[in-house]
Amino acid sequence: MSPLLPLPLPLAPLAWLTGFRRVPDNSVVTVHRFGRFVRALGPGWRWTLPGLDHLGQPVCLIGHHLDIRDGDGPHAELYYQILDPAQAGEALDRVDALVTDQARDALATLPAGDAAPSLADALKAELNRRLSRLGLRVIRCALHA
C-alpha cells in the first residue's frame, strides 16, 4: 500500500464543502457546466459541483423596470417579474435584453392613433402572450408620447 493513499481522505470533506453556494432571497442564479446552461438555482443554500459548475450573476425575480424607446414613436415603460425561472432557463442571463427586444417588436405592430390607455393594455397583453412561454409576466405597462 502506498503511503500517499491516505493523504486525500482528510481533504474530501473540505472539497465537498466548497461546493456550497448561497443564492440571495428573491433571486435566481444560472449554473453553467462546460459553458452550457444546466439549471437555475433558487434562493437559499445550494450545492454545486466544485470546479465544474460556474454560476452566473444573481437575477432578481421581481421589480424589473424597463424604459423602452423606439425611434420617434411613443416609448413604453414596463414592469415585469420572473414567475418560473426554470422555464426561462438560459434566457435569465440576458432577460432585460430579451424583454426589450420583444417590446420593440410588439410596439411596431400596434395600430397608431388609438387612445394611450387602450394601446398600453394591448401592448401588455401582447407581451404577456409572447413572454408567458418563458415564465415572465408584464405587470404594468404605460405608453408615453
Side-chain angles (χ1 to χ4, degrees), residues 78 106 110 117-132 136 138-141:
L78 301 175
L110 288 178
S118 65
L119 275 179
D121 290 339
L123 177 62
K124 180 181 172 184
E126 177 63 18
L127 283 173
N128 281 329
R129 184 188 67 76
R130 292 178 182 208
L131 297 172
S132 64
L136 307 174
V138 175
I139 53 175
R140 192 166 71 188
C141 178

Side-chain angles (χ1 to χ4, degrees), residues 59 64-69 76-82 88 91-107 123-124 126-128 130-141:
V59 178
H64 291 268
H65 173 247
L66 296 175
D67 192 20
I68 298 159
R69 299 184 184 278
E77 188 176 1
L78 301 175
Y79 292 86
Y80 73 95
Q81 62 188 12
I82 301 168
L92 287 171
D93 289 330
R94 59 187 199 296
V95 69
D96 284 343
L98 175 80
V99 173
T100 299
D101 292 343
Q102 291 294 324
R104 283 195 177 121
D105 290 345
L107 271 172
L123 177 62
K124 180 181 172 184
E126 177 63 18
L127 283 173
N128 281 329
R130 292 178 182 208
L131 297 172
S132 64
R133 63 183 169 80
L134 294 173
L136 307 174
R137 172 162 297 158
V138 175
I139 53 175
R140 192 166 71 188
C141 178

Side-chain angles (χ1 to χ4, degrees), residues 8 10 14 19 25-26 33 37 39 44 47 63 70 76 83 98 100 105 114 130 132:
L14 183 62
D25 290 338
N26 295 322
R33 189 175 299 151
F37 172 79
R39 64 179 189 229
W47 191 80
D70 189 32
L83 299 177
L98 175 80
T100 299
D105 290 345
D114 286 350
R130 292 178 182 208
S132 64

